[in-house]
Amino acid sequence: MRRIYPDFQDNPDIPEAYAYPEGRPWLRLNMVSSADGAAWLQGRSGGLSSRGDKRIFAVLRGLSDVIVAGAATVRTEGYGPVKPRASWSSIRAGRPDVPPIAVITRSLDLDLDGELFTDATNPTIVITCESAPAERRKLAGRRSDLIIAGDDGVDMQLAVRELHERGLTRVLCEGGPRINAQLSADDLIDELCLSVSPMLVAGGAARILNGVAAQVPLDLRQVLEEEGVLFCRYTREQSP
């Protein structure tokens, strides 16, 4: 892997390249897309990934305090609990061995008996709303750290604030596109990490944001490259 912007460097230190800014909460969005903007191939993001993308994906998880994903992404991508990695020992010093997963769901259509809830080192967090089915809410309250954020739908600003109150201020969101669009519309995204796969997909795949329109100017901070895949890091503002 090499850095090609803002300078040229072979084999950059990946944790250093993606270090969170100090002294403030930060919400980072990590996505992969095709060159024509598709967020998945045949229904899943894995077909767009690469060896370099998987390495950066793992580092971003290790750097985070919590990993946020929508219920559709959790179901489609087959999420399980995060497993400890020896390579995380330094970047997670003073923190739990693994970050918890936080699932955003309005309907609570989740397998609450699945390994994401039964085998997690840190309890999985479920973020839902008052209108979620009452019986499912009771069950989710027993199987997870349950957050009620909003009435008829999940209030993203309240959800993020609840994570911060738990000390989870380095937030990594892994999608999907509708969750991303909600976060953008609520002005909550501080950073976009985008892996651009060198292929054209076309068809009906969504873009990485799919929902309410929002215009957020970004600064390009860094570009890494490996095997033709570009790893772009954008921020809304200059990091401290």
Side-chain angles (χ1 to χ4, degrees):
M1 187 172 290
R2 59 181 181 149
R3 181 159 55 221
I4 59 176
Y5 181 83
D7 57 11
F8 292 89
Q9 181 182 345
D10 288 327
N11 301 314
D13 183 294
I14 302 301
E16 182 180 304
Y18 286 94
Y20 280 86
E22 296 291 339
R24 60 151 295 177
W26 194 260
L27 193 148
R28 167 180 282 163
L29 178 62
N30 184 41
M31 294 294 289
V32 62
S33 80
S34 66
D36 60 324
W40 59 68
L41 179 63
Q42 297 177 343
R44 300 187 67 174
S45 63
L48 299 171
S49 190
S50 67
R51 289 181 296 179
D53 180 59
K54 290 180 173 65
R55 290 204 307 278
I56 290 175
F57 176 86
V59 169
L60 294 187
R61 282 188 155 203
L63 290 169
S64 72
D65 291 333
V66 61
I67 299 163
V68 174
T73 296
V74 167
R75 292 191 299 267
T76 301
E77 302 288 347
Y79 271 52
V82 180
K83 304 297 185 184
R85 290 174 176 254
S87 60
W88 289 354
S89 59
S90 60
I91 63 176
R92 296 201 64 79
R95 296 186 293 163
D97 290 342
V98 297
I101 301 284
V103 186
I104 296 176
T105 172
R106 183 175 182 272
S107 65
L108 288 172
D109 183 13
L110 297 168
D111 180 6
L112 295 169
D113 294 317
E115 65 173 356
L116 181 59
F117 297 94
T118 60
D119 295 342
T121 302
N122 289 337
T124 294
I125 299 168
V126 171
I127 304 173
T128 190
C129 55
E130 293 285 357
S131 64
E135 289 302 314
R136 296 292 292 172
R137 280 178 52 188
K138 289 180 183 177
L139 181 58
R142 295 195 295 268
R143 303 288 169 82
S144 70
D145 179 3
L146 184 65
I147 294 174
I148 306 298
D151 298 321
D152 294 328
V154 175
D155 182 326
M156 291 298 186
Q157 292 183 335
L158 179 56
V160 171
R161 188 158 63 245
E162 289 283 346
L163 293 176
H164 291 172
E165 289 179 359
R166 286 163 166 76
L168 307 174
T169 58
R170 298 177 176 182
V171 181
L172 172 65
C173 182
E174 297 178 350
R178 291 195 178 278
I179 296 296
N180 298 344
Q182 287 178 263
L183 290 169
S184 180
D186 285 340
D187 200 29
L188 292 169
I189 297 174
D190 297 299
E191 178 179 336
L192 168 64
C193 297
L194 178 63
S195 301
V196 182
S197 180
M199 68 174 72
L200 299 174
V201 172
R207 297 184 299 168
I208 62 167
L209 272 70
N210 185 28
V212 179
Q215 186 171 343
V216 182
L218 300 173
D219 292 326
L220 178 63
R221 302 297 306 279
Q222 174 178 268
V223 183
L224 309 181
E225 184 275 336
E226 184 180 82
E227 299 178 331
V229 182
L230 300 178
F231 306 99
C232 304
R233 184 182 180 194
Y234 300 89
T235 61
R236 279 196 325 174
E237 58 185 283
Q238 295 294 314
S239 299

